[in-house]
Amino acid sequence: MLTNKQRKLLRRAVIYPTCVRTQAIIAFTLPFLWMFLIFIDNVVLDGQDFFTFGFWLMPVLELIDLAFLLVQGLYIRFAVRSKEWNDIVEKANITLQEPKTDELLIKAVSAGVLSAALANDNVGAGFRMDATVRLFKQMQAIRHMAMKMCVIFRERIPNRIHYVLAIVLIPTLVLTGTYVYRYIDILTTNSYDSKIAAASVYQAKEALEQGCQKVYIDDPLKDFDSNGYEVSGYLYENDTISNDSYIMIKIDNEGIITDVDYIFGVDVNDTKEANLERIQVELDKLHEMLMDSDLDAKTDYLTEKPYFPEETIEDFMNHSYYERMTSRFKGYFQVGYITSEKAEHDSNDDSYFYFMMGS
């Protein structure tokens, strides 16, 4: 007969290896679940901020899982080398010699509880393993050995299902539940922010429609974007001037202007003086419409009107239409000229000045 201490050891020898194997699998798969949840957060739901708690939660769960794996694995490996375990093995060897034990083993095998290896008189032989055997095989050998002992001593084989479910479900539900709560918060926040952004986008659209022939918007109410929305106003219905002339306003989810770009097409068939004169008129019109929108800007200079620096005008006048001009930074804006070489330039190519008012 087994003592209470031996029964506990035998029970743990059945349960712990299963737990260790399950914990090893969870330690491997949990990061993949985490990355999938982050994908939903960032890509599918377009989360606007970094989820710090979720970022640290997975490593914490991983460390807890690995700690249990290490403790249980080391415990059971040392336990099956203890005197207590050797006493169990000796008792099992004696019990195997009894005819009733043989009958019990035959019934166990026919019921599919154990393998045919139970008929082996040398109960301890199954445990003697090379030191290089991997963790899974070691744990499997210990568990099979303990299950043999349970049959030999007519002890109930412990049910491991609820342990496996706990190991799998607890970290999975904690991690998933945390992100589900996060998702609900994202959807609520995004819905609120999109309404604020939409008010500013529509306001900018209305202002540009006063002088532009074409106005395009990214509608926050149709497609939320954590990076913000663009409102573009084109001065001409058709591309009468290469690349047309337009303004592009970037508005964030707080309804504030974050960037303003002006693009002015250059007609290579006209004189440079005429191009500069026309662009100045277009710049005045677009800037006036920007001011009419009466939107707040992230920085004051975003709503300032850019101008042609003297050196830019000089470079433009002294260079060919088909020579690019390096960007110049003039305090609160950047100006440059884009074109293509004459041999490659055709009616589909663009030649234009740009003014960038980024924050």
Side-chain angles (χ1 to χ4, degrees):
M1 294 293 293
L2 298 177
T3 64
N4 287 334
K5 185 176 181 181
Q6 290 172 334
R7 287 192 181 95
K8 289 181 180 179
L9 175 57
L10 194 58
R11 176 182 175 85
R12 289 170 180 168
V14 174
I15 295 173
Y16 281 15
T18 301
C19 292
V20 169
R21 287 164 58 89
T22 307
Q23 287 158 353
I25 294 171
I26 287 297
F28 176 76
T29 58
L30 197 63
F32 291 97
L33 172 62
W34 179 62
M35 287 187 288
F36 176 71
L37 294 172
I38 291 176
F39 172 79
I40 296 176
D41 185 321
N42 294 341
V43 179
V44 178
L45 298 181
D46 208 355
Q48 298 185 63
D49 55 358
F50 181 71
F51 189 34
T52 306
F53 181 77
F55 178 81
W56 290 108
L57 178 61
M58 193 285 295
V60 170
L61 293 174
E62 190 85 351
L63 287 174
I64 293 174
D65 179 77
L66 292 173
F68 275 105
L69 183 154
L70 183 63
V71 170
Q72 292 179 331
L74 289 176
Y75 169 84
I76 201 61
R77 288 187 65 181
F78 284 108
V80 295
R81 297 171 183 171
S82 65
K83 181 180 181 301
E84 204 71 38
W85 181 263
N86 289 330
D87 290 342
I88 297 175
V89 172
E90 290 179 7
K91 289 181 181 181
N93 279 320
I94 295 173
T95 307
L96 274 174
Q97 307 305 318
E98 300 176 4
K100 291 183 179 181
T101 303
D102 291 336
E103 294 176 5
L104 179 63
L105 293 175
I106 293 172
K107 290 181 180 180
V109 172
S110 64
V113 176
L114 301 173
S115 67
L118 286 172
N120 189 344
D121 290 340
N122 189 358
V123 180
F127 174 67
R128 288 195 296 270
M129 299 175 295
D130 189 88
T132 60
V133 177
R134 293 183 305 173
L135 174 65
F136 275 23
K137 289 186 177 180
Q138 290 177 331
M139 294 298 108
Q140 185 179 25
I142 293 172
R143 179 172 60 84
H144 285 173
M145 188 67 185
M147 292 175 67
K148 294 176 185 179
M149 300 292 191
C150 288
V151 173
I152 291 171
F153 294 114
R154 302 190 180 189
E155 295 286 338
R156 183 176 65 85
I157 297 177
N159 185 358
R160 293 154 291 149
I161 297 298
H162 53 283
Y163 292 99
V164 172
L165 290 176
I167 293 170
V168 172
L169 293 179
I170 289 177
T172 301
L173 291 177
V174 168
L175 187 61
T176 304
T178 301
Y179 271 90
V180 167
Y181 179 81
R182 158 76 170 176
Y183 298 157
I184 294 173
D185 182 65
I186 288 176
L187 292 173
T188 303
T189 302
N190 289 357
S191 176
Y192 176 78
D193 289 350
S194 63
K195 292 177 182 178
I196 294 177
S200 294
V201 168
Y202 297 157
Q203 191 171 328
K205 177 177 180 289
E206 183 178 353
L208 294 181
E209 286 176 337
Q210 303 303 313
C212 293
Q213 299 299 315
K214 297 180 294 185
V215 178
Y216 301 102
I217 68 169
D218 295 330
D219 194 339
L221 298 182
K222 292 182 179 179
D223 187 15
F224 177 84
D225 189 345
S226 62
N227 294 318
Y229 313 90
E230 292 181 355
V231 181
S232 301
Y234 291 76
L235 287 174
Y236 306 106
E237 180 66 32
N238 300 311
D239 293 338
T240 54
I241 299 176
S242 179
N243 196 56
D244 209 340
S245 296
Y246 63 93
I247 185 174
M248 185 169 62
I249 306 169
K250 188 75 174 287
I251 297 173
D252 66 13
N253 280 286
E254 296 179 357
I256 296 175
I257 296 174
T258 58
D259 296 274
V260 179
D261 293 337
Y262 298 88
I263 306 294
F264 300 100
V266 171
D267 186 357
V268 297
N269 297 313
D270 203 351
T271 65
K272 293 179 179 179
E273 291 83 0
N275 272 295
L276 290 175
E277 184 178 349
R278 172 184 52 79
I279 290 174
Q280 187 59 59
V281 172
E282 293 172 345
L283 176 58
D284 292 340
K285 287 182 180 179
L286 291 175
H287 181 261
E288 183 179 355
M289 285 183 275
L290 172 66
M291 299 307 295
D292 286 344
S293 68
D294 198 28
L295 293 176
D296 293 330
K298 191 172 183 179
T299 55
D300 292 338
Y301 67 74
L302 286 170
T303 55
E304 294 289 331
K305 183 169 70 173
Y307 60 89
F308 279 107
E310 290 297 328
E311 55 269 34
T312 300
I313 296 176
E314 183 178 350
D315 287 345
F316 181 60
M317 297 300 293
N318 293 329
H319 286 73
S320 166
Y321 273 129
Y322 310 103
E323 292 181 81
R324 286 187 174 219
M325 289 170 48
T326 305
S327 299
R328 295 182 182 275
F329 291 88
K330 299 300 293 183
Y332 58 86
F333 71 91
Q334 179 182 356
V335 60
Y337 175 67
I338 301 296
T339 188
S340 57
E341 294 183 5
K342 187 173 184 178
E344 302 173 357
H345 200 283
D346 58 33
S347 58
N348 295 321
D349 288 327
D350 299 328
S351 295
Y352 59 89
F353 275 101
Y354 64 85
F355 294 87
M356 300 177 64
M357 320 281 286
S359 58

